Amino acid sequence: MRITCPHCGARDVQEFTYLGDANPQRPEGMATTEAAMHDYVYQRDNPAGRHRELWYHGAGCHAWLVVTRDTRTHAIEAVDTASAIAKGDAA
């Protein structure tokens, strides 16, 4: 599999480290319940199909990327920097 880094271009997947699902949102504040934190840390979906994932380009530009790909075929639909997504500037 090859990931097209927005900074470095197409690179082999071995240059990247997979972190996991890009969708979970950390519960707010110290008032959150233990159950909510447990779910945030340990409960993940395992979808077959389109999925947004966090990848770190450790052997390149050191950017965090959000990769949208089909988990059945590994076809990559989009790659954006995580900072652009946080700012709302993603393509």
Side-chain angles (χ1 to χ4, degrees):
M1 187 168 76
R2 294 181 63 81
I3 297 174
T4 302
C5 175
H7 305 292
C8 305
R11 299 287 193 251
D12 190 79
V13 72
Q14 293 178 359
E15 290 189 13
F16 299 85
T17 302
Y18 174 78
L19 176 66
D21 189 352
N23 294 319
Q25 298 296 314
R26 184 181 176 95
E28 291 292 327
M30 295 298 290
T32 191
T33 66
E34 186 175 326
M37 281 306 293
H38 177 273
D39 289 349
Y40 168 73
V41 172
Y42 297 108
Q43 300 299 318
R44 295 288 186 258
D45 292 331
N46 189 15
R50 188 175 188 264
H51 187 58
R52 294 177 67 230
E53 305 167 327
L54 283 171
W55 290 79
Y56 177 67
H57 195 183
C61 61
H62 300 278
W64 280 100
L65 306 175
V66 176
V67 176
T68 304
R69 72 179 180 98
D70 188 315
T71 59
R72 295 169 296 194
T73 64
H74 299 293
I76 295 176
E77 179 181 314
V79 179
D80 293 299
T81 61
S83 61
I85 294 204
K87 294 177 190 174
D89 296 336

